[in-house]
Amino acid sequence: MRLTRYFMPTLKETPSEAQVVSHRLMLRAGMIRQASAGIYSWLPLGFKVLENIDRIVREEQDAMGCQQVLMPTIQSADLWRASGRYDDYGPEMLRITDRHDRDMLYGPTNEEQITEIFAGSVKSYRDLPQLLYHIQWKFRDEVRPRFGVMRGREFLMKDAYSFDISKDEARRSYNKFFVSYLRTYERLGLKAIPMAADTGPIGGDMSHEFLIVADTGESEIACHKDFLGMNLGADIDYDDNLQPIVDNFTAKYAATDDKRDEAAEAALGDDLVVARGIEVGHIFNFGTKYSEPLGAKVSGPDGEEVLVEMGSYGIGVSRLVAAVIEASHDDNGIIWPESVAPFHVGLINLKAGDADCDKACDDIYKTLKDQGIDVLYDDRETRAGAKFADMDLIGLPWQLIIGPRGLKNGVVELKNRKGGEREELSLEAALSRLTA
Ligand code: ATP
Ligand code: MG
């Protein structure tokens, strides 16, 4: 993509309404624009990142055997009356009346909807487990929408649902999501720490929130320092018994503010880390809370009717765009992890308008594109300083810098955004580095 043709309205000034760094950088980089409080439009650069995250989340759901569906944003109030949540949900729910005076709502989540679909179609224990997910916009009329897309009113969520014949089977499904979430965050370049969360009246130990450490997080968290260096390592076979992997994570202390335990923290001594965290996911088993009121039953092995055991599993896809920035930036701008970067490399023509520079850049641009490398070519006739600043701001992993002096000597410059190293090398060497 040529920058002269790309719609990327960057801002020089720091927008005064933005309180956290991710919000500031998303506005400055021209990724989003506010439509109204807590509601945003995604411009090309931001939308590319959103799509990259969406894809990784999808690939990991598919890999664990979860099937994608797409449920509507608008739901019938009657369904929510049947579960008892129409009144319980309160003012966060956006209620709508259609032209026939029927009560509708813009879905804040989809437990009722998916349970109705399941109940209408699955009748035998032989068809279990069922694992279904969708990635769809949600609306919650948050009291205090803030921090840009981090706490929006309209936001993109991946929500998955599991249906099992027994509590033991439900735990197997839960463990699959637990492990697949760890893998998802790792691919996004994030360390997300699983922390025991409230299960409410249902009880049990099957509820975890996943939080990434960032100074601007809304909750205070405390955990064993080992969590900061953990990773999942080798490939996972989802048909294996995943309990030991889950236990390995849950054995260590990690708690959000309302779950903190003074004695446990004192015992950790120097191994304790207290930080702030951003919730990027939540997995939750809730037994028969929805299957009972909505009649989701199957016939069991002995012909008896059994209420299915259910769980739901959310990832904040649009919040993750901001969370990645909170976790990875410097004073000059965003530093995208390769996996979610909107482009792999930014090609900077230091002297656009100069015949030699233009020719060299056009050739490189074509070569990279032919090799399937996503490149943003800064072909603007502006000063070098402005180009460097914009490229640092939008945080592409690599910058390939072409200038008249280098061309004379047969060299180009390659900069790694993350490490900041700049290196002069031959064009061939630079290209082979970028296509490696
Ligand atoms: P929070 O405590 O942050 O309000 P929640 O418990 O209401 O989150 P869930 O219902 O578990 O959230 O939703 C699943 C995921 O969706 C959350 O982990 C979070 O990443 C994301 N999410 C929730 N609310 C918002 C919001 N207002 N804006 C953006 N993302 C959100
Ligand atoms: Mg909430």
Side-chain angles (χ1 to χ4, degrees), residues 14-174:
T14 298
S16 59
E17 74 271 26
Q19 303 165 40
V20 296
V21 66
S22 58
H23 190 195
R24 282 197 291 273
L25 290 172
M26 288 179 78
L27 289 169
R28 283 192 52 213
M31 293 175 64
I32 52 166
R33 285 296 181 262
Q34 182 174 306
S36 52
I39 303 178
Y40 291 85
S41 298
W42 293 78
L43 307 189
L45 192 77
F47 189 57
K48 267 191 112 176
V49 178
L50 186 68
E51 291 273 285
N52 286 343
I53 294 178
D54 183 292
R55 175 180 44 79
I56 290 173
V57 168
R58 198 161 14 89
E59 285 171 2
E60 289 300 325
Q61 291 292 288
D62 293 346
M64 64 157 276
C66 199
Q67 297 175 66
Q68 189 170 21
V69 297
L70 182 59
M71 291 178 271
T73 53
I74 306 290
Q75 303 180 26
S76 130
D78 285 342
L79 192 54
W80 285 67
R81 290 196 178 100
S83 75
R85 276 212 291 185
Y86 190 65
D87 294 325
D88 291 353
Y89 215 91
E92 268 195 18
M93 183 188 278
L94 179 63
R95 294 153 208 264
I96 306 164
T97 311
D98 73 8
R99 67 197 296 165
H100 303 294
D101 258 349
R102 275 187 293 251
D103 293 328
M104 312 291 288
L105 56 99
Y106 195 115
T109 177
N110 285 66
E111 280 81 5
E112 283 80 358
Q113 190 95 68
I114 196 84
T115 307
E116 183 189 49
I117 294 169
F118 176 93
S121 307
V122 181
K123 301 293 178 199
S124 164
Y125 77 97
R126 287 192 201 85
D127 297 325
L128 298 184
Q130 285 292 339
L131 309 176
L132 301 166
Y133 76 98
H134 76 159
I135 300 178
Q136 177 62 291
W137 293 91
K138 305 290 187 287
F139 193 95
R140 294 182 187 173
D141 207 350
E142 300 276 356
V143 197
R144 290 184 63 205
R146 58 189 176 146
F147 305 157
V149 298
M150 193 102 85
R151 182 164 297 282
R153 293 198 296 166
E154 190 177 73
F155 59 96
L156 189 61
M157 195 207 282
K158 186 285 297 180
D159 39 324
Y161 304 90
S162 63
F163 301 87
D164 282 287
I165 186 70
S166 66
K167 289 193 165 32
D168 281 349
E169 287 294 311
R171 181 172 289 279
R172 283 168 59 86
S173 294
Y174 185 85

